[in-house]
Amino acid sequence: MVLKTFGWSFAVTAIGLVAAVLIDGWTAFGIVLILSILEISLSFDNAVVNAGILKKMSPFWQKIFLTVGVLIAVFGMRLVFPVVIVAITASLNPIDAVDLALNDADRYQQLVTDAHPAIAAFGGMFLLMIFLDFIFEDRDIKWLGWIERPLAKLGKVDMLSVCIALIVLLLSALYFASNAHQHGGIHVDKAETVLLSGVGGLITYLIVGGLSSFFENRLEEEEEREHEAEEEARREGKPVSAVALAGKAAFFMFLYLEVLDASFSFDGVIGAFAVTNDIILMALGLGIGAMYVRSLTVYLVRQGTLDDYVYLEHGAHYAIGALAAILLVTIRFEINEFITGLTGVVLIAWSFWSSVRRNNKLAAEEGKGESSDDKAEVTSGV
């Protein structure tokens, strides 16, 4: 099971590390290895959230997520995205941006750093909406009940998450963006940039998330009608055609996963510049990390881990909320990537530990129940 799920990740790791040695010796090997670990630590919560969505998809679309999705994640977000950001913010054509990335690493890093407020605002707002929609939903299973119960009641107010997100964006633009951190330690006013990028992140979430929910609901309705049609056809001996809408639903869920992955990758791409300016080594290291995140997502789905450890999804969403806050704060202040990664790991580890305690408690209660039943049987037999 492990080899089947992580086989491609092991292969890409071997190829990436060998390529690093061929490019610049053992120093490059160490850089790529560090970047891989950095990406995995920063994106573990991404894997947990992805698994919650991916388990609703068919094995075919899970395979698409591991193949086409990986190409988008590795080449799109870890290699092309930084170049596109530089091209847009520096008003360069794509060819000049690629040339800059390959031949002037210091200038390239400067331009990406200067574009950080826009990146952080877009990603921060997208992730914040995911967190808010999660905590405002009334769920049967609650992890931190003293927080989640009152928030679930507040969640009955229409558009509350959007209103809170816009307030957070406005405060970020007024406080953080008015004195945004830039390359070389200087600070400039980026309020307008942050507002526009943040609104863009919010709109992206509403469009992609809305389409995903719409087609998922349509799929459930069609599946129910299909089941009724199958029952009728079985009685009459007629064949029933498959539901074509499943492809649309799966496609938009896949699209949602890719945008979600893109938002998670922002901090990893920016943080990678603390390790190296070399765009090739960066793509190798972050690409290896992205492969493991993909494989871990599928592993969680196939093992049913989210069903066994019911608080894991809660912990991952709290980690998303923390990451959103960190991204917005980094518009003005520098925060070490170690703190970013550790925050997510601690929250997920805490939720895992809480899940284990819950499972042990339920098992103990079932054991007591069985013992009481056995005792009652013996008593009645006497």
Side-chain angles (χ1 to χ4, degrees), residues 45-79:
D45 48 354
N46 187 9
V48 176
V49 176
N50 282 352
I53 301 170
L54 198 65
K55 68 181 181 181
K56 304 174 185 177
M57 301 169 72
S58 67
F60 169 79
W61 279 99
Q62 291 179 12
K63 187 175 294 185
I64 291 294
F65 179 73
L66 268 178
T67 53
V68 178
V70 164
L71 292 177
I72 296 173
V74 175
F75 295 102
M77 289 309 304
R78 275 73 179 181
L79 182 60

Side-chain angles (χ1 to χ4, degrees), residues 49 59 62 79 112 130 135 145 154 164 175 181 204 211 231-232 338 369:
V49 176
Q62 291 179 12
L79 182 60
V112 173
I130 294 173
I135 63 171
L154 287 175
I164 292 177
Y175 180 67
H181 174 78
T204 301
L211 287 173
E231 292 295 327
E232 183 178 351
F338 175 77

Side-chain angles (χ1 to χ4, degrees), residues 215-231:
F215 281 103
E216 185 180 357
N217 292 335
R218 287 284 301 277
L219 175 60
E220 291 176 356
E221 294 173 2
E222 289 293 332
E223 285 178 340
E224 185 176 345
R225 283 196 290 268
E226 182 191 39
H227 179 71
E228 294 175 356
E230 285 179 349
E231 292 295 327

Side-chain angles (χ1 to χ4, degrees), residues 141-155:
I141 297 176
K142 295 178 175 61
W143 178 31
L144 305 177
W146 58 278
I147 296 177
E148 295 171 10
R149 288 190 189 95
L151 289 177
K153 293 180 181 179
L154 287 175

Side-chain angles (χ1 to χ4, degrees), residues 125 128 132 163-173 176 328:
M125 293 305 296
L128 180 62
L132 291 175
C163 293
I164 292 177
L166 288 173
I167 292 172
V168 171
L169 176 60
L170 181 60
L171 293 175
S172 299
F176 297 127
L328 294 174

Side-chain angles (χ1 to χ4, degrees), residues 16-222:
L17 292 176
V18 170
V21 174
L22 295 176
I23 290 172
D24 196 21
W26 292 105
T27 300
F29 177 93
I31 290 173
V32 170
L33 186 61
I34 291 171
L35 288 175
S36 303
I37 296 172
L38 172 69
E39 177 69 9
I40 295 171
S41 65
L42 289 174
S43 299
F44 186 81
D45 48 354
N46 187 9
V48 176
V49 176
N50 282 352
I53 301 170
L54 198 65
K55 68 181 181 181
K56 304 174 185 177
M57 301 169 72
S58 67
F60 169 79
W61 279 99
Q62 291 179 12
K63 187 175 294 185
I64 291 294
F65 179 73
L66 268 178
T67 53
V68 178
V70 164
L71 292 177
I72 296 173
V74 175
F75 295 102
M77 289 309 304
R78 275 73 179 181
L79 182 60
V80 177
F81 172 72
V83 175
V84 171
I85 288 296
V86 168
I88 293 173
T89 56
S91 300
L92 298 173
N93 65 59
I95 296 176
D96 290 338
V98 172
D99 180 69
L100 191 68
L102 296 175
N103 300 316
D104 192 350
D106 291 334
R107 174 61 178 163
Y108 177 78
Q109 178 187 3
Q110 177 184 341
L111 292 174
V112 173
T113 302
D114 291 344
H116 177 70
I119 298 171
F122 183 95
M125 293 305 296
F126 188 91
L127 295 177
L128 180 62
M129 283 298 300
I130 294 173
F131 170 68
L132 291 175
D133 278 351
F134 180 85
I135 63 171
F136 284 139
E137 183 178 345
D138 191 9
R139 299 176 180 277
D140 294 332
I141 297 176
K142 295 178 175 61
W143 178 31
L144 305 177
W146 58 278
I147 296 177
E148 295 171 10
R149 288 190 189 95
L151 289 177
K153 293 180 181 179
L154 287 175
K156 296 177 181 178
V157 179
D158 289 339
M159 304 300 291
L160 180 62
S161 57
V162 176
C163 293
I164 292 177
L166 288 173
I167 292 172
V168 171
L169 176 60
L170 181 60
L171 293 175
S172 299
L174 291 175
Y175 180 67
F176 297 127
S178 61
N179 199 18
H181 174 78
Q182 297 284 267
H183 183 78
I186 63 174
H187 291 79
V188 297
D189 188 354
K190 289 276 186 175
E192 182 179 353
T193 299
V194 166
L195 279 173
L196 290 174
S197 299
V199 170
L202 178 60
I203 292 173
T204 301
Y205 173 83
L206 293 175
I207 292 175
V208 178
L211 287 173
S212 299
S213 298
F214 171 75
F215 281 103
E216 185 180 357
N217 292 335
R218 287 284 301 277
L219 175 60
E220 291 176 356
E221 294 173 2
E222 289 293 332

